[in-house]
Amino acid sequence: MKTKKHIASLGLALACGIGVGALSMGSFAQGTAMRWVQGEYPAAFEASMDASSAAFERKDMEATRSHLAEDFATYELHGPESPKLLVKGREETIKVMNTFFAGDFGSSWDGAEVEKLGSIGNTMVQIEYDRYNMESGQITIPTFVIIQYKDNKRWREWRLRPDPA
């Protein structure tokens, strides 16, 4: 009998401890600027994201340039050599984008659908579904993208593609 009461008391204490811990963590997270906002983005970042995405869809590199920080960089988080710096600097990024669209794979690019997931501070998270028209038919390549902003411009982009295997 004493053992059952002891187990019940211990279970109640553990449940209360977990509950208090969860509440205090929630209120701590709510009180910081790093709060996760599911499906929402700060207005300035969202406007920049929408405008830069539209410019990229049009393959308008001059408009795209205006949404990138001077020290913009893109990192790849998949593949055997990752993490890997793909491109650094706004002007170098524009050169790479122009080369991409002029190349076989880039000229086959047929747009993208973007699913915005949420934000933490200056960091936005989304999934991009890029479509390509290939000889074998259309393929879609999903990419998990983390975008960091500085001075209301894209500053860092981290790209992770699922392993096709």
Side-chain angles (χ1 to χ4, degrees):
M1 182 87 160
K2 188 174 185 181
T3 306
K4 286 185 181 179
K5 282 185 180 179
H6 181 69
I7 292 172
S9 296
L10 184 60
L12 181 60
L14 184 59
C16 288
I18 291 171
V20 168
L23 288 174
S24 66
M25 282 188 351
S27 63
F28 176 75
Q30 295 286 333
T32 68
M34 295 297 287
R35 187 170 63 88
W36 175 260
V37 183
Q38 186 173 353
E40 294 182 21
Y41 292 84
F45 300 148
E46 185 168 32
S48 176
M49 286 178 73
D50 290 346
S52 65
S53 292
F56 189 82
E57 288 269 346
R58 294 188 313 269
K59 302 178 184 179
D60 182 347
M61 294 303 103
E62 289 307 311
T64 298
R65 175 184 279 116
S66 69
H67 297 283
L68 301 176
E70 188 175 330
D71 59 344
F72 175 81
T74 300
Y75 296 87
E76 186 172 85
L77 300 176
H78 56 274
E81 298 172 10
S82 64
K84 178 182 173 185
L85 174 65
L86 291 179
V87 63
K88 185 167 177 84
R90 177 177 50 215
E91 297 313 312
E92 189 62 28
T93 300
I94 296 300
K95 279 188 212 175
V96 168
M97 287 180 180
N98 280 323
T99 302
F100 170 75
F101 285 125
D104 290 339
F105 196 65
S107 63
S108 299
W109 185 75
D110 189 36
E113 299 297 321
V114 175
E115 182 180 345
K116 297 175 183 175
L117 300 178
S119 67
I120 299 174
N122 72 330
T123 305
M124 315 300 118
V125 180
Q126 64 187 30
I127 298 175
E128 296 176 359
Y129 300 93
D130 290 294
R131 295 181 310 275
Y132 295 88
N133 293 319
M134 310 303 281
E135 287 182 18
S136 59
Q138 191 173 74
I139 63 169
T140 300
I141 300 176
T143 307
F144 183 79
V145 183
I146 302 166
I147 303 164
Q148 293 177 298
Y149 277 79
K150 180 175 81 172
D151 301 325
N152 291 328
K153 294 184 181 235
R154 286 181 184 230
W155 175 52
R156 296 287 184 261
E157 194 165 295
W158 308 84
R159 305 181 67 76
L160 174 63
R161 290 197 180 117
D163 184 352

